[in-house]
Amino acid sequence: LLQGYGIHNSGWFCCIEQLINAIFELKENPEELSQRLILSMCKRSFDKDDQEANMDMDLDPSQFQHSLRNAENANRISKVELAQLLFVVGHIALKLLVHCEKVEVRIKKERIEREKMINEQQNDDEKQDERERDLKAMQGGKEAEEERVLELLQEISQDYIIQRNLIGHFTPIFVHLCNQYALTAPVNKKDDTLLRKVSILSFCKVLCVSTTFCEDNLKTILNMIRSPNI
């Protein structure tokens, strides 16, 4: 898939989407492999002197921070490459949110099962009462720990994925392109059409992840809704 990066092929998007889905289904820590995928694509796009980037390389997100934070730098790479990169970023952002929600559901399910087990062990026997008190004490400590984890997951979902993560470096490009498309009529060229569709789709995916990001970009959202060009 990295070898096909930068080549106009609609089948590439279907393949990379299923690859990302598989990463999140099969990997215990999908965020690590997802970051390597994004960084490998950034390396190929922004470092034209080194086109041998692959997912086995150790890449530092900070080396692309300047390139991504300045939306005008998006013009340095081809429209096809940019469309593919933004598609991957948008889909990974959405999958990270789903991943956090699955972890949250699993924690809550384990809590319910543990409470059910403790309730089933209730007995009038004095020895049983003592054991029950011990179990409840353990449960209290476990619940406090779970609450902290659930609060952390909420923070990750609302703030970290978009605002304080590699994906956050792409937000200026999303906002810049969507504002531009809201104000200009479509160009009847294959690469421009592809980038327009992917940018808007991926921007919408990122909006689904964070209410904070939505609130910060209400103007862009309203421009898109009112625009006859979208």
Side-chain angles (χ1 to χ4, degrees), residues 23-110:
I23 289 173
F24 278 86
E25 284 295 326
L26 302 176
K27 296 292 289 184
E28 184 176 351
N29 298 308
E31 64 279 359
E32 295 179 4
L33 192 54
S34 298
Q35 176 172 286
R36 297 178 78 87
L37 175 59
I38 293 173
L39 289 175
S40 298
M41 296 173 73
C42 286
K43 179 73 172 175
R44 283 176 173 264
S45 293
F46 292 103
D47 189 355
K48 296 300 184 181
D49 294 331
D50 184 3
Q51 292 296 293
E52 299 301 321
N54 59 69
M55 293 179 65
D56 295 325
M57 296 177 65
D58 290 325
L59 300 173
D60 182 4
S62 63
Q63 71 185 100
F64 305 111
Q65 185 171 350
H66 175 71
S67 297
L68 295 172
R69 279 294 177 184
N70 184 355
E72 297 298 331
N73 284 326
N75 297 325
R76 291 172 47 194
I77 65 178
S78 74
K79 289 181 171 63
V80 175
E81 282 185 346
L82 185 57
Q84 292 175 332
L85 181 57
L86 295 182
F87 180 86
V88 168
V89 170
H91 195 58
I92 286 177
L94 195 59
K95 295 300 290 186
L96 283 170
L97 175 63
V98 173
H99 179 65
C100 288
E101 290 177 345
K102 284 183 177 180
V103 174
E104 185 176 344
V105 168
R106 186 172 70 242
I107 291 173
K108 291 180 177 178
K109 183 178 179 181
E110 290 174 353

Side-chain angles (χ1 to χ4, degrees), residues 164-188:
R164 291 180 285 167
N165 192 11
L166 172 63
I167 292 172
H169 298 331
F170 290 85
T171 54
I173 297 178
F174 282 120
V175 174
H176 171 74
L177 289 175
C178 289
N179 275 322
Q180 177 179 306
Y181 293 142
L183 298 173
T184 59
V187 178
N188 192 22

Side-chain angles (χ1 to χ4, degrees), residues 162-219:
I162 303 301
Q163 274 74 24
R164 291 180 285 167
N165 192 11
L166 172 63
I167 292 172
H169 298 331
F170 290 85
T171 54
I173 297 178
F174 282 120
V175 174
H176 171 74
L177 289 175
C178 289
N179 275 322
Q180 177 179 306
Y181 293 142
L183 298 173
T184 59
V187 178
N188 192 22
K189 291 183 179 180
K190 186 167 63 173
D191 290 355
D192 288 284
T193 301
L194 174 67
L195 181 57
R196 175 183 287 265
K197 290 179 179 179
V198 170
S199 298
I200 295 171
L201 171 65
S202 300
F203 180 64
C204 291
K205 287 183 177 181
V206 174
L207 289 173
C208 292
V209 176
S210 171
T211 54
T212 303
F213 183 71
C214 284
E215 291 168 357
D216 292 343
N217 292 280
L218 280 175
K219 183 178 179 181

